[in-house]
Amino acid sequence: MNGFYKKLDELKILISEISPDIICLQETNFTNLKTAKLPNYNDFSKHRTTGLRASGGITTYVSSIYPSKEIYISTHLEVIAVAVKLNDIEVNICNIYLPNQHTFTDNDIENIIKQLPKPFIITGDFNSHNVRWGSLNTDSRGKEIDKILENDNLVLLNNMEPTRINPINGNFSNIDLSFANASLAQRLNWSVIVIQLIPRYNDSIPNLERWNLKNPDWRLFSETLDDKVSHIDKSEYQNTENLVDQLTETIISVANLTIGKTKSKNPKPKVPWWNHDIKSAIKEKNDALKKFQKTNKLDDFILLKHLRAKSKFLIKTSKKSSWEKFTSSIKENTDSKSVWNKIQSLKGLRRNKKINLIDPNSNQLINKPDQISNNLGEYFYHNSSDNNYKQHFLVYKQKCEKEAISNTSDKNCHDQIQINQEIKIQELTHSLKKCKSNSPGPDTITYVFIQNFGTKTLNLLLNIFFFFFFNPKIG
């Protein structure tokens, strides 16, 4: 990266475009006194303490929606390791920077690998050349890395694509490498993103959050699930909750086997300074980069540098003018809430939608049921408070609240009697046809899964619905 702040605008654009869950940066040039924050990310850094100026250093940013913690690694190299909980799997990410002036041996890397729990990914700037990963020649550093790759449990993820373009002479190189242990490597797709503003960035970090629902084999899913469900022995379970857990585990295991998961994108932070000119300039720069990769001509490289400088200039100019326009619009009677909302928008911050279950006095997690219920009640009370509504809606709300509600309960009404009857398979399938959302709940099971259940699975689901309300025991 060669300086975080020099590339900050391009990095923000990149985050807006692809919303990465994990970002591994090298040569951040931070000091011990300061590490830059990215909105909606937790940061883990290791700074270079030697030298007369800020140089080197590495930082790993992890999306705040995933639990993460640092893993201590004993080594003299610039290394930072982080454990990230990506839904159903914990992946350990190791970020490495090996500058040209520092020597290393294969034993140094082996020492790091031994300290990493599995599964793991090792990625970073190794400044090592080897024809094995697409370099034009093999140097001594590349030979040391090659020795490591002789380990049967380690897989190189690179696919011969260059990961860096020299800004001085326009030469391409493959010095950014990614490895993974064998069991995890078969689940990863590694590629170099060509549409970015920063040439040295590879998207080798997986996100296993979303089901791959593009072209699933629903027939295989349905038949496999029915077969698994038929082997569930209801007599082994003493209550409905155990059966629900067993069915959920079965659905997820079959979905993993027949459908699989794919990378998803986080919501893009909105920025008010984005405009059509910036979008066009970035597209022109990206087209110029693709052209130069094909031709390797000096004229094309000069054009690429010109368009890259143009896009940088437009971004900085637009951000400045957007800020000036915002500050000039602030008057004495401007609502403070609107001001802070605008500042958050300029920073690309998302609103915090998390419910606070932290005791403000002890700063500890609340685990008592009565305290949890009180906090949830207070949270929803403030959300539905009259202070959140405009005056014209409050007038209408107060008018409606004064109207008397008549009791429509009728013991002889056929429709009301049917409400408490056992749900039939026809009613369930009819309701499922109206469900269009693919957004899963905490169990990650989407409506489209249920819509493609086989007969045996649907019948079991109906039994669960019935016994859940009328008979908590299943025997």
Side-chain angles (χ1 to χ4, degrees):
M1 195 171 197
N2 196 18
F4 178 87
Y5 293 103
K6 291 192 298 183
K7 304 290 180 63
L8 181 57
D9 288 333
E10 293 98 324
L11 180 60
K12 287 182 176 179
I13 295 293
L14 185 65
I15 293 173
S16 176
E17 286 296 318
I18 66 173
S19 300
D21 295 321
I22 303 172
I23 305 172
C24 296
L25 302 179
Q26 301 85 36
E27 289 189 274
T28 48
N29 294 353
F30 292 145
T31 66
N32 284 328
L33 301 177
K34 185 176 182 181
T35 299
K37 303 292 183 180
L38 287 178
N40 310 306
Y41 285 89
N42 298 321
D43 59 278
F44 304 87
S45 296
K46 185 172 184 179
H47 310 297
R48 183 180 296 177
T49 56
T50 59
L52 301 177
R53 61 180 180 84
S55 61
I58 53 177
T59 300
T60 298
Y61 292 95
V62 181
S63 174
S64 56
I65 66 176
Y66 299 114
S68 56
K69 62 180 180 180
E70 184 175 348
I71 303 172
Y72 175 73
I73 300 294
S74 177
T75 178
H76 66 281
L77 302 176
E78 293 185 42
V79 174
I80 192 80
V82 181
V84 184
K85 182 68 173 180
L86 296 172
N87 294 335
D88 61 339
I89 183 174
E90 182 173 286
V91 180
N92 303 289
I93 310 297
C94 183
N95 186 8
I96 298 180
Y97 175 49
L98 300 177
N100 282 318
Q101 61 270 29
H102 290 181
T103 59
F104 69 92
T105 65
D106 61 309
N107 290 330
D108 294 326
I109 308 298
E110 288 283 0
N111 175 50
I112 296 172
I113 295 174
K114 291 177 181 179
Q115 299 179 65
L116 281 175
K118 295 179 181 178
F120 63 79
I121 297 174
I122 302 176
T123 186
D125 182 358
F126 288 79
N127 281 299
S128 305
H129 299 271
N130 196 307
V131 294
R132 179 170 180 175
W133 50 80
S135 300
L136 297 178
N137 53 39
T138 300
D139 59 12
S140 58
R141 298 166 66 94
K143 292 179 180 178
E144 294 297 326
I145 299 295
D146 203 17
K147 293 179 183 177
I148 302 168
L149 294 176
E150 293 177 359
N151 185 338
D152 293 336
N153 194 38
L154 202 62
V155 178
L156 176 67
L157 301 176
N158 291 54
N159 58 6
M160 308 294 282
E161 293 182 72
T163 61
R164 180 180 183 268
I165 178 174
N166 191 315
I168 299 175
N169 55 28
N171 291 337
F172 292 97
S173 58
N174 307 50
I175 58 176
D176 303 287
L177 306 176
S178 296
F179 318 108
N181 64 296
S183 60
L184 180 62
Q186 60 184 349
R187 304 178 64 181
L188 304 180
N189 291 319
W190 188 97
S191 63
V192 175
I193 299 178
V194 181
I195 62 172
Q196 71 234 356
L197 287 173
I198 306 174
R200 187 187 299 185
Y201 181 87
N202 64 69
D203 184 25
S204 60
I205 306 302
N207 180 333
L208 308 176
E209 180 183 9
R210 181 170 295 175
W211 295 107
N212 184 13
L213 300 177
K214 289 184 178 180
N215 295 299
D217 189 343
W218 290 118
R219 181 178 178 181
L220 177 62
F221 169 78
S222 175
E223 292 176 353
T224 307
L225 183 58
D226 265 3
D227 179 64
K228 296 285 186 180
V229 166
S230 64
H231 290 84
I232 296 179
D233 187 358
K234 300 184 184 66
S235 62
E236 293 182 1
Y237 302 95
Q238 299 301 315
N239 55 56
T240 309
E241 291 184 0
N242 288 343
L243 185 58
V244 170
D245 292 340
Q246 179 68 7
L247 178 59
T248 301
E249 293 174 4
T250 304
I251 295 170
I252 293 175
S253 64
V254 172
N256 276 319
L257 179 66
T258 61
I259 297 174
K261 293 181 178 179
T262 185
K263 181 177 175 61
S264 61
K265 294 184 179 181
N266 295 328
K268 297 181 180 180
K270 298 178 180 179
V271 285
W273 46 264
W274 183 266
N275 56 46
H276 179 72
D277 292 338
I278 295 176
K279 182 178 180 180
S280 299
I282 292 177
K283 185 179 184 304
E284 291 175 358
K285 182 210 68 68
N286 292 334
D287 292 340
L289 175 59
K290 293 177 183 178
K291 183 178 181 181
F292 175 63
Q293 285 181 314
K294 293 179 180 179
T295 64
N296 204 25
K297 292 182 179 180
L298 179 60
D299 291 343
D300 293 332
F301 179 59
I302 294 174
L303 178 62
L304 171 61
K305 295 184 70 174
H306 168 74
L307 293 174
R308 185 179 183 187
K310 177 183 176 182
S311 61
K312 281 186 176 182
F313 173 77
L314 288 175
I315 291 172
K316 290 184 178 180
T317 304
S318 180
K319 291 180 73 172
K320 181 180 178 181
S321 61
S322 178
W323 176 253
E324 291 175 347
K325 182 179 179 181
F326 163 62
T327 54
S328 63
S329 66
I330 300 176
K331 308 297 181 183
E332 292 182 358
N333 58 348
T334 303
D335 183 19
S336 60
K337 182 179 179 181
S338 301
V339 174
W340 284 111
N341 286 342
K342 187 67 174 180
I343 292 175
Q344 286 186 322
S345 175
L346 287 168
K347 290 183 176 180
L349 293 173
R350 303 178 196 142
R351 293 187 179 183
N352 184 13
K353 299 180 180 179
K354 297 180 179 178
I355 300 177
N356 186 9
L357 292 178
I358 302 295
D359 188 341
N361 298 322
S362 62
N363 201 30
Q364 298 294 321
L365 185 68
I366 297 174
N367 53 16
K368 295 183 178 180
D370 57 337
Q371 289 182 318
I372 293 175
S373 59
N374 288 336
N375 273 51
L376 290 175
E378 185 177 349
Y379 174 84
F380 290 114
Y381 169 78
H382 287 298
N383 271 6
S384 58
S385 171
D386 288 350
N387 296 329
N388 298 326
Y389 303 117
K390 297 185 181 297
Q391 186 60 36
H392 67 87
F393 176 78
L394 290 176
V395 173
Y396 175 77
K397 177 173 176 285
Q398 291 170 0
K399 177 184 176 181
C400 293
E401 288 175 345
K402 291 179 180 179
E403 296 179 0
I405 301 176
S406 59
N407 186 0
T408 59
S409 176
D410 184 1
K411 296 181 179 179
N412 298 319
C413 178
H414 176 74
D415 291 338
Q416 294 182 16
I417 295 174
Q418 289 295 316
I419 291 176
N420 293 321
Q421 296 297 316
E422 182 179 349
I423 303 173
K424 298 179 180 179
I425 189 73
Q426 295 84 357
E427 295 174 322
L428 179 59
T429 54
H430 177 73
S431 300
L432 288 173
K433 289 180 181 179
K434 298 181 179 181
C435 298
K436 298 181 180 179
S437 174
N438 286 330
S439 301
D443 58 6
T444 73
I445 298 174
T446 66
Y447 275 125
V448 70
F449 282 9
I450 306 176
Q451 289 169 337
N452 286 277
F453 279 0
T455 304
K456 294 179 181 179
T457 311
L458 280 177
N459 286 328
L460 177 58
L461 186 61
L462 283 175
N463 289 333
I464 291 175
F465 288 158
F466 178 78
F467 285 112
F468 182 81
F469 291 103
F470 298 103
N471 187 0
K473 299 291 184 179
I474 294 182

